[in-house]
Amino acid sequence: AVAQGGTGAATLAAAGLANTPAFHVYLSSSQGISNATETKIQFDTEVFDTANAYDNTTNYRFTPQTSGKYFFYLNVLPEAGANDNNVDLVYGEIRKNDTSLLWQILDFRSTNTGRKFHIGVSGILDMNGSSDYAEGFAYLDVTTGTEIFAGAQRSTYFGGYKLIGA
């Protein structure tokens, strides 16, 4: 902040213009899932969590204690072992209070030409700052194969941050 007389340093953070709370988490190792079942992704590794608002051990959810509009993003790498060409349907979603509000779907059921791909979901949600929470879920339906969400920092991740001035 600028002191009386015009001395000192002015910063955006000091003026309350920071994109916080913010978090970025990822799935550290592959998560086995059941075929054709919506599954909460257990993002267990935090890259950062500015307000300690992400639970990476029990509920795997972000619960900000500051109200406002938040930008969220989710990326999922679904795999079916050696049978990735048998992926029929896959989607990723971001839920607010267990209601799906943001999602992306890839449906190969009519052609059965599934290949490796990432599911990316993003959007803006209003959060009340006291009881709202956001979680990442995904769904994978395959003809054959072992269903997983691939674990690695660059493969399956979730994050968000409060928007300034929105």
Side-chain angles (χ1 to χ4, degrees), residues 7-160:
T7 62
T11 66
L12 292 175
L17 298 176
N19 290 106
T20 57
F23 73 103
H24 181 85
V25 294
Y26 66 93
L27 182 65
S28 64
S29 61
S30 296
Q31 177 181 340
I33 59 172
S34 297
N35 188 49
T37 303
E38 286 186 350
T39 304
K40 182 190 293 191
I41 304 167
Q42 297 175 355
F43 297 103
D44 58 350
T45 304
E46 294 180 339
V47 177
F48 62 87
D49 181 4
T50 65
N52 199 27
Y54 184 82
D55 173 1
N56 69 331
T57 59
T58 307
N59 291 314
Y60 307 101
R61 65 174 58 154
F62 175 69
T63 308
Q65 297 304 301
T66 304
S67 63
K69 296 185 184 316
Y70 285 77
F71 179 80
F72 290 100
Y73 54 90
L74 169 74
N75 196 73
V76 180
L77 176 58
E79 294 185 340
N83 297 298
D84 285 330
N85 60 331
N86 291 321
V87 170
D88 293 328
L89 174 68
V90 61
Y91 59 82
E93 62 185 353
I94 297 173
R95 294 183 182 183
K96 175 183 165 186
N97 303 333
D98 208 29
T99 299
S100 178
L101 296 178
L102 305 168
W103 74 314
Q104 180 172 358
I105 185 170
L106 293 174
D107 188 344
F108 299 107
R109 290 176 289 188
S110 63
T111 60
N112 267 341
T113 58
R115 300 289 183 256
K116 283 195 183 219
F117 46 84
H118 280 95
I119 296 295
V121 181
S122 61
I124 298 169
L125 298 174
D126 280 311
M127 304 297 279
N128 68 15
S130 60
S131 61
D132 286 343
Y133 58 87
E135 304 168 302
F137 278 73
Y139 174 98
L140 176 61
D141 182 4
V142 302
T143 306
T144 61
T146 303
E147 304 86 2
I148 64 168
F149 298 140
Q153 188 169 359
R154 65 186 177 107
S155 296
T156 302
Y157 52 86
F158 178 43

